[in-house]
Amino acid sequence: MKVSIKSLFIAGLACAASAVWAEFPDKPVVLLVPYAAGGPSDKIARDLAEALRKPLNQTVLVDNAVGAGGTIGVAKVARAPADGYTLLVHHIGMATAPALYRKLSYKVPEDFEYLGLINEAPSVVITKPTAPVNNFAELRKWIADQGTKINLAHAGLGSASHLCGLMLQSTLKQNLTSVPYKGTAPAMTDLIGGQVDMMCEQAANAVPQIEGKKVKVFGSTGLQRVNVPSLKDVPTLAESGLPGFNVQIWHGLYAPKGTPPAVLAKLNTALRAALKDPDFIKREEAIGLSVISDKRIEPAEHRKFVEAEMVRWAKVIKDAGEYAD
């Protein structure tokens, strides 16, 4: 049997590559968050970094790359070396950006490797403390009567609060006046102060304001009630007259396209271990987040889920006509 020098050379390169990746990771891994430090996505990434350190046996750092509704940070990961050392932690914006932005410097789903979903959580519909309504039925009538006179705050184009607000308006077939802010904090501050009327915000971020009675809460957006003390008695919107209404803000973990299969396998194994970490689960559940334990932890199912979300949200965004140039 003759074996060519070329074949031996290729086999040698493959063995060398396998040996290199067998040592992965031999330096710190960075989780890039495309939003500011202190926000919901940043907190989730820092919790995950802590949970990944043990299964990876390596330091895991968090970096923030802010701007353009998260697209700057996502593009940074898409252009990063495909070696597993720069990963992306991103929420539902991964699926909605292609519809929201006419021009993107990356492509979804093509430019990424899918490592698995991390968690998901509903948002809550909240109003300023002086809103003249006390339950969802009254809120719905107020919206129908006032329409665009009601100001709906959100944390910027493509943010979780923006997307949830779009879905709420689409479901109610009502248009409100959209008031964008540069982040959740200033939007919440103005809601508390009464400068704006409503907001649809991630439950994890709204719990302190709800517990402090600084805002009124009218419903959660998932199919199950939020399992935290201050929200367990708050009905879902589906219970309150919007059958099937379900807006979950989810987060996933991604690597640049072309990351070696051996590295992807190690990262997915580490992610699975992190999502079973009791401390991680406890931290996430304390703020109303559900840690993923179903098949969406598998890379192929994660990608399939993102593709389905892209289709679902494209229609809502197109009907609303809210785009970025």
Side-chain angles (χ1 to χ4, degrees):
M1 177 180 179
K2 292 184 178 180
V3 180
S4 69
I5 294 176
K6 182 179 179 181
S7 297
L8 289 172
F9 178 71
I10 292 173
L13 287 178
C15 290
S18 297
V20 169
W21 296 122
E23 301 300 321
F24 175 87
D26 60 1
K27 62 181 181 180
V29 173
V30 175
L31 303 184
L32 190 142
V33 181
Y35 299 101
S41 293
D42 178 71
K43 183 189 184 308
I44 288 163
R46 292 180 190 279
D47 288 346
L48 182 64
E50 183 66 31
L52 283 171
R53 284 171 188 148
K54 185 175 180 180
L56 286 176
N57 193 30
Q58 185 54 262
T59 300
V60 182
L61 306 173
V62 174
D63 186 25
N64 302 85
V66 183
T71 61
I72 288 176
V74 179
K76 186 175 180 179
V77 175
R79 296 190 299 266
D83 56 11
Y85 288 100
T86 301
L87 307 176
L88 173 69
V89 174
H90 196 15
H91 65 30
I92 191 173
M94 191 71 169
T96 58
L100 282 168
Y101 293 87
R102 292 188 173 93
K103 296 179 181 179
L104 283 176
S105 60
Y106 58 88
K107 294 181 180 179
V108 180
E110 297 92 333
D111 289 349
F112 301 89
E113 304 288 356
Y114 294 73
L115 294 167
L117 282 191
I118 301 166
N119 59 29
E120 62 184 356
S123 291
V124 286
V125 177
I126 53 179
T127 71
K128 61 186 180 182
T130 57
V133 289
N134 294 299
N135 55 55
F136 184 72
E138 292 179 2
L139 177 69
R140 191 171 182 177
K141 184 177 186 305
W142 186 47
I143 290 172
D145 291 343
Q146 299 297 315
T148 55
K149 292 181 181 179
I150 294 177
N151 293 321
L152 179 67
H154 62 78
L157 189 75
S159 65
S161 51
H162 175 236
L163 296 168
C164 180
L166 289 183
M167 185 66 81
L168 181 63
Q169 292 175 83
S170 175
T171 303
L172 293 176
K173 295 181 171 52
Q174 296 287 338
N175 292 322
L176 307 177
T177 296
S178 178
V179 183
Y181 286 81
K182 293 182 178 180
T184 295
M188 186 67 76
T189 296
D190 276 5
L191 183 69
I192 292 170
Q195 282 77 38
V196 288
D197 302 307
M198 283 183 62
M199 191 172 177
C200 189
E201 177 58 337
Q202 293 183 67
N205 205 47
V207 165
Q209 289 74 27
I210 293 169
E211 291 179 345
K213 301 190 184 302
K214 295 179 179 179
V215 296
K216 290 184 177 181
V217 58
F218 292 87
S220 58
T221 65
L223 295 177
Q224 305 294 328
R225 295 189 181 192
V226 183
N227 188 30
V228 297
S230 58
L231 293 175
K232 64 181 182 179
D233 293 327
V234 175
T236 66
L237 297 189
E239 289 179 89
S240 300
L242 299 182
F245 191 95
N246 184 24
V247 175
Q248 300 276 5
I249 305 304
W250 44 265
H251 288 79
L253 186 65
Y254 308 83
K257 184 69 176 179
T259 301
V263 173
L264 295 175
K266 283 192 174 184
L267 289 169
N268 179 257
T269 297
L271 178 61
R272 289 170 180 267
L275 300 189
K276 293 179 180 178
D277 184 315
D279 290 336
F280 178 76
I281 293 171
K282 183 177 180 180
R283 285 195 296 271
E284 303 310 284
E285 290 183 345
I287 54 175
L289 299 171
S290 297
V291 175
I292 298 299
S293 60
D294 58 42
K295 64 182 181 180
R296 292 173 297 171
I297 188 58
E298 299 171 11
E301 292 296 330
H302 179 193
R303 176 172 176 145
K304 188 186 298 184
F305 175 75
V306 171
E307 290 173 340
E309 286 284 270
M310 289 173 68
V311 173
R312 177 191 183 203
W313 283 96
K315 183 180 186 306
V316 174
I317 293 165
K318 181 180 179 182
D319 289 347
E322 294 189 22
Y323 305 98
D325 293 329

